[in-house]
Amino acid sequence: VSKLRYSGSISLDGFAAGPDQSPEHPLGVGGRALHTWMKDLDAAQSGSSRLLEEDDTGVGALIMGRNMFGGGPGPWGEDPWQGWWGPNPPFHLPVFVLTHHPRPPLSCEGGTTFTFVTDGLEAARAQAEEAAGGQHVDICGGATVAKQYLAAGLLDEILLHLVPIFLGAGVRLFDDQAFATISLAQVFVVEAPGVTHLKYRVLR
Amino acid sequence: VSKLRYSGSISLDGFAAGPDQSPEHPLGVGGRALHTWMKDLDAAQSGSSRLLEEDDTGVGALIMGRNMFGGGPGPWGEDPWQGWWGPNPPFHLPVFVLTHHPRPPLSCEGGTTFTFVTDGLEAARAQAEEAAGGQHVDICGGATVAKQYLAAGLLDEILLHLVPIFLGAGVRLFDDQAFATISLAQVFVVEAPGVTHLKYRVLR
């Protein structure tokens, strides 16, 4: 069965990004430290590396927010604005972009296609599931998007990369009172250098 | 070397207690779910149980806040008010209570003594360390107290029991911008049924 999944790094104080996000600081001030653990992946067959390989198996489509595609006050709407990602984006999958601005689909080199969905979370999930053909759909960046799916009861799995840092401010991943009605099961925990990977399943 | 340590349960959304704490709901509404994992400790020699036994080795004194001792609008100051804990408190150690209300020490059955410290965090730590005689000092309950010690740079270790629940509201353990200047090292992670134990050391 196709699952809708979110994975993302989070600081010990619960932030998925630091404060004052900008093109210069896409993860906010201090937010780059959320991804430091990834540098060690090539060096050794660490727990992280095996985990992430397994986790990438069977992803058929992605969902992202407009900011992740390339939002802000850029030349949105003026073809051929291709977002932040350039002519050959690193996704190589169908990507569904949540936005309020209708736009024709955009096909890029390397197999990435961006489809712009203006009719909400559920529609984007349905379209992505169909494109995924039975494989999983991952929310690719955008804690804000993940929160919306979780609050709407449309998220199946959460994989957190818990990083032992404090950001002090920024974008909290879990700050919605509506989450209090959601039950989770702990699926697995993997300790690795500078990070702990925690997988949870949302119970219906 | 004696360390000042905090251990406490925390929800996935970062709360050490739910909202609306009261004598009826000492951990706030929904907060009892933070301690559900402890019920399984006797049943099996789980990772949690071994971990907690090790962690209890070498504790020589405790620090707690006034609310943990028995605060609120109770008969505080009217001897012989003995807090929430009755004549034989479960601590069996010297306990140092942070308060603004001076009061003579209180000796209870079973070896628990409460000493009331009115001159601040550092004084309480110093008195507790001396009483501990080289053993560790644990902050016993009171996320608010733990936060104050962490922000003041006086905390050495944090053991989190991360519980896969959302409380939605309540007392956040990590919500101080001052924490952003603090560096941590991940010491160990133990996965157990319904909880993940994460130990961090504060780096100087």
Side-chain angles (χ1 to χ4, degrees), chain A:
Chain A
V1 178
S2 176
K3 288 178 191 160
L4 182 62
R5 312 184 308 176
Y6 172 72
S7 68
S9 292
I10 186 173
S11 66
L12 196 59
D13 51 353
F15 295 102
D20 304 323
Q21 284 175 282
S22 66
E24 193 191 352
H25 294 108
L27 285 168
V29 174
R32 282 184 61 185
L34 287 169
H35 288 182
T36 306
W37 61 272
M38 292 185 185
K39 286 191 314 185
D40 300 328
L41 290 186
D42 293 336
Q45 274 295 92
S46 69
S48 299
S49 143
R50 286 196 304 279
L51 168 73
L52 296 180
E53 278 170 26
E54 282 172 35
D55 205 63
D56 274 346
T57 307
V59 179
L62 303 174
I63 293 176
M64 65 175 60
R66 171 187 163 174
N67 287 332
M68 182 77 180
F69 169 73
W76 182 272
E78 303 172 15
D79 270 332
W81 171 240
Q82 306 218 341
W84 303 126
W85 302 102
N88 189 346
F91 306 112
H92 315 297
L93 285 171
V95 179
F96 294 83
V97 181
L98 288 158
T99 176
H100 295 295
H101 301 266
R103 175 178 169 161
L106 176 66
S107 288
C108 304
E109 297 169 30
T112 300
T113 60
F114 292 104
T115 302
F116 301 87
V117 181
T118 56
D119 48 352
L121 301 174
E122 207 154 353
R125 179 182 164 145
Q127 289 184 54
E129 272 187 357
E130 190 176 333
Q135 292 189 294
H136 299 313
V137 176
D138 278 9
I139 295 173
C140 175
T144 307
V145 173
K147 287 196 281 194
Q148 290 171 340
Y149 273 102
L150 183 60
L154 294 169
L155 193 64
D156 298 305
E157 279 187 0
I158 303 167
L159 175 61
L160 296 182
H161 312 299
L162 181 63
V163 181
I165 58 170
F166 293 118
L167 289 176
V171 181
R172 272 200 192 281
L173 185 55
F174 300 127
D175 61 354
D176 191 329
Q177 294 220 13
F179 296 163
T181 62
I182 295 171
S183 294
L184 300 170
Q186 182 173 287
V187 179
F188 65 71
V189 178
V190 175
E191 180 184 8
V195 66
T196 299
H197 309 286
L198 302 133
K199 186 144 194 168
Y200 299 99
R201 188 168 50 240
V202 179
L203 303 175
R204 306 283 170 202

Side-chain angles (χ1 to χ4, degrees), chain B:
Chain B
V1 178
S2 177
K3 289 178 192 159
L4 181 62
R5 313 184 308 176
Y6 172 71
S7 69
S9 292
I10 186 173
S11 67
L12 196 58
D13 50 354
F15 295 103
D20 304 323
Q21 284 175 281
S22 67
E24 193 192 351
H25 293 108
L27 285 168
V29 174
R32 281 184 60 185
L34 287 169
H35 289 179
T36 306
W37 61 271
M38 292 184 186
K39 286 192 313 188
D40 300 328
L41 289 186
D42 293 337
Q45 274 295 92
S46 69
S48 298
S49 129
R50 285 197 304 277
L51 168 74
L52 296 181
E53 279 170 24
E54 281 173 35
D55 204 64
D56 274 346
T57 307
V59 179
L62 304 174
I63 293 175
M64 65 175 59
R66 171 187 163 172
N67 287 331
M68 181 77 179
F69 169 73
W76 182 272
E78 303 172 16
D79 271 332
W81 169 239
Q82 305 219 340
W84 304 126
W85 302 102
N88 190 344
F91 307 111
H92 314 298
L93 285 172
V95 179
F96 294 83
V97 181
L98 289 158
T99 176
H100 295 295
H101 301 265
R103 175 175 169 163
L106 176 65
S107 288
C108 304
E109 297 169 31
T112 300
T113 60
F114 293 104
T115 302
F116 301 88
V117 182
T118 55
D119 47 354
L121 302 174
E122 206 153 353
R125 180 182 164 145
Q127 289 184 54
E129 272 187 357
E130 189 175 334
Q135 291 189 295
H136 300 311
V137 176
D138 278 8
I139 295 172
C140 175
T144 307
V145 174
K147 286 197 279 195
Q148 290 171 340
Y149 273 103
L150 184 59
L154 294 170
L155 193 65
D156 296 305
E157 280 188 359
I158 303 167
L159 174 61
L160 296 181
H161 312 299
L162 181 63
V163 181
I165 58 170
F166 293 119
L167 289 175
V171 181
R172 273 199 191 282
L173 184 55
F174 300 127
D175 61 354
D176 191 328
Q177 294 221 14
F179 296 163
T181 61
I182 295 170
S183 295
L184 300 170
Q186 182 174 286
V187 178
F188 66 71
V189 178
V190 175
E191 180 184 7
V195 66
T196 299
H197 309 286
L198 301 132
K199 185 142 194 171
Y200 299 99
R201 188 169 50 240
V202 179
L203 304 175
R204 306 287 173 201

